[in-house]
């Protein structure tokens, strides 16, 4: 009995060790690579392209007016960009104010609202052709030179470009943690990937596509949640490289309350697992038959344990390895733990290492607990639209 138990412990411990080692190695490689990122310069004289900016807004009365006002202020020729607000379940007073602005308002109403449905309806209502389409969330504020930086990025010859989405607010512990998470994603999954020649990950906002390609891709998307994941898988399967424009900055409101964090992560994790299930086999086939490393890499990303869970699993696994009969040696587990934490810290911008960081770290256990709790609430999550509201800071202590 003891021999059987020991054998099972060795096998189980070895499998868990290999799984964590592979994921830590992956993070380490791209975290180090991200340190060597340099944005390529555009050769030749700049040619100004035309843009249409789509901003879906579902029950976002608290933020959409300000977003619309700021979207009209880009330092770019006004005749070369067009703003479209997609009004889904907005209050009549909000819609009236939007219609008084020099932009297009597309009112929509669906039995079951989704971002993909809203964007496709807006495309139908777009009568003019543009060079490129940009997508913002209802809370996104672009830097004044955002369109100019995106224009320069597109002139490098890419059909799809992801801008840098960064935190608009860091005034609560949860918002600061969310801001750090976004910065780590930018470093590892955008900068690090571009350094080694792989595509940048897209987010769902602050991104742009060549207009005709955008219409073609959106017509195929039926996602209820995670429309950006479906778009990304389609693009990479077709071997369309996604570039990253670090200087094209968009400020995004970070979640400020634990319950909103749970809603957001539930939507993200559900989409991740859903598209992993749909694309796992295809990713392997594409790698073998077409050498499509980009697509396979994206499938692999979806199999990675969320970082916030990894932060808990690494030390716990290391401590368990000290129990009798466990394998491999605790020193191997300690090495994986150290490399994992180092990889994550390496991806955190220096600007976040300040007096507020300690307050944010105190919120980390709550975030870890919430993420583990979400795992038991994922059933059916990808079959319904999960809305995460913006602009509500009530009940959260400022830092």
């Amino acid at each position: 009995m003891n021999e059987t138990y020991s054998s099972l412990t060795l096998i189980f411990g070895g499998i868990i060790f290999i799984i964590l080692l592979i994921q830590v190695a992956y993070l380490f490689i791209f975290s180090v690579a991200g340190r060597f990122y340099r944005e390529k310069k555009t050769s030749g004289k700049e040619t100004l392209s035309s843009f249409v900016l789509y901003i879906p807004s579902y029950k976002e009365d608290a933020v959409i007016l300000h977003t619309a006002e700021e979207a009209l202020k880009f330092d770019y020729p006004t005749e070369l960009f067009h703003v479209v607000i997609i009004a889904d379940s907005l209050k009549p007073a909000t819609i009236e104010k939007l219609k008084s602005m020099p932009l297009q308002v597309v009112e929509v109403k669906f039995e079951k609202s989704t971002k993909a449905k809203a964007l496709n309806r807006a495309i139908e209502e777009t009568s003019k052709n543009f060079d490129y389409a940009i997508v913002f969330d209802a809370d996104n504020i672009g830097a004044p030179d955002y369109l100019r930086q995106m224009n320069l990025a597109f002139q490098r010859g890419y059909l799809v470009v992801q801008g840098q989405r960064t935190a608009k607010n860091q005034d609560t512990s949860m918002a600061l943690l969310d801001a750090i998470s976004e910065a780590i994603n930018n470093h590892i999954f955008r900068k690090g990937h571009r350094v080694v020649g792989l595509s940048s990950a897209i987010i769902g906002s602050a991104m742009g596509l060549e207009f005709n390609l955008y219409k073609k891709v959106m017509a195929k998307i039926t996602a209820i949640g995670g429309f950006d994941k479906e778009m990304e898988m389609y693009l990479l399967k077709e071997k369309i490289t996604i570039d990253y424009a670090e200087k094209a900055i968009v400020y995004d409101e970070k979640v400020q309350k634990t319950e909103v964090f749970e809603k957001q992560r539930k939507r993200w994790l559900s989409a991740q697992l859903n598209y992993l299930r749909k694309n796992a086999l295809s990713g392997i086939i594409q790698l073998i038959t077409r050498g499509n490393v980009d697509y396979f890499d994206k499938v692999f990303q979806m199999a990675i344990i969320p970082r916030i869970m990894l932060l808990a699993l690494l030390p716990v696994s290391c401590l368990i390895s000290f129990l009798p009969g466990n394998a491999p040696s605790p020193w191997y587990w300690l090495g994986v733990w150290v490399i994992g934490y180092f990889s994550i810290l390496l991806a955190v911008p220096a600007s976040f290492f300040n007096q507020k960081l300690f307050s944010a770290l105190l919120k980390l256990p709550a975030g870890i607990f919430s993420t583990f709790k979400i795992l038991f609430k994922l059933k059916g999550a990808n079959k319904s639209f999960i809305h995460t509201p913006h602009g509500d800071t009530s009940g959260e202590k400022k830092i």
Side-chain angles (χ1 to χ4, degrees), residues 20-240:
L20 292 179
L21 176 62
I22 290 171
Q23 299 199 49
V24 164
Y26 183 88
L27 293 176
F28 176 77
I29 290 168
F30 289 108
S31 188
V32 171
R35 288 287 172 177
F36 296 92
Y37 176 82
R38 299 292 182 274
E39 197 158 293
K40 295 178 181 178
K41 293 183 179 179
T42 305
S43 59
K45 186 178 179 181
E46 180 186 7
T47 302
L48 297 181
S49 303
S50 60
F51 293 88
V52 56
L53 171 58
Y54 293 114
I55 309 177
S57 179
Y58 176 78
K59 295 184 178 180
E60 294 285 10
D61 298 86
V63 296
I64 190 59
L65 291 174
H66 178 61
T67 299
E69 289 169 356
E70 293 300 313
L72 296 168
K73 296 179 181 178
F74 286 122
D75 181 19
Y76 203 76
T78 55
E79 69 275 12
L80 290 179
F81 75 95
H82 178 59
V83 178
V84 181
I85 305 293
I86 311 164
D88 186 351
S89 304
L90 294 181
K91 296 175 182 176
T94 303
I95 294 174
E96 186 178 347
K97 289 178 182 177
L98 287 170
K99 287 183 175 180
S100 69
M101 300 179 187
L103 50 77
Q104 181 181 357
V105 179
V106 176
E107 295 183 61
V108 298
K109 187 175 182 180
F110 305 106
E111 184 177 342
K112 289 186 178 180
S113 294
T114 69
K115 194 170 184 179
K117 287 180 183 177
L119 288 168
N120 275 308
R121 179 65 60 83
I123 291 171
E124 293 173 5
E125 298 291 328
T126 304
S127 56
K128 182 181 173 183
N129 273 325
F130 295 87
D131 294 316
Y132 301 99
I134 303 286
V135 180
F136 273 18
D137 282 340
D139 62 298
N140 288 172
I141 304 296
D145 67 341
Y146 170 79
L147 286 182
R148 191 168 292 275
Q149 292 297 336
M150 288 294 281
N151 185 64
L152 289 170
F154 279 118
Q155 287 200 313
R156 294 198 288 263
Y158 295 97
L159 297 176
V160 186
V161 176
Q162 174 64 57
Q164 182 191 171
R165 202 172 70 177
T166 190
K168 184 197 301 183
N169 58 305
Q170 301 177 27
D171 51 344
T172 70
S173 297
M174 188 58 75
L176 182 55
L177 279 180
D178 199 15
I180 293 171
S181 179
E182 182 97 273
I184 293 173
N185 285 337
N186 286 337
H187 183 94
I188 294 175
F189 299 111
R190 294 176 188 95
K191 293 164 69 173
H193 273 65
R194 292 305 294 135
V195 167
V196 301
L198 293 173
S199 284
S200 161
I202 59 175
I203 317 172
S205 71
M207 64 181 181
L209 291 83
E210 190 273 330
F211 188 57
N212 288 321
L213 174 63
Y214 175 72
K215 291 192 292 184
K216 178 182 176 181
V217 175
M218 286 304 304
K220 297 178 180 296
I221 291 179
T222 58
I224 294 175
F227 96 99
D228 53 317
K229 290 283 190 296
E230 187 172 353
M231 174 183 283
E232 193 169 30
M233 300 313 298
Y234 175 86
L235 293 169
L236 297 181
K237 197 170 186 178
E238 294 297 315
K239 289 194 169 185
I240 297 172

Side-chain angles (χ1 to χ4, degrees), residues 354-375:
N354 53 42
Q355 65 273 18
K356 290 183 177 181
L357 183 60
F358 180 73
S359 297
L361 290 177
L362 293 177
K363 198 77 173 179
L364 189 58
I368 293 172
F369 177 74
S370 294
T371 305
F372 276 100
K373 189 169 65 172
I374 289 167
L375 293 176

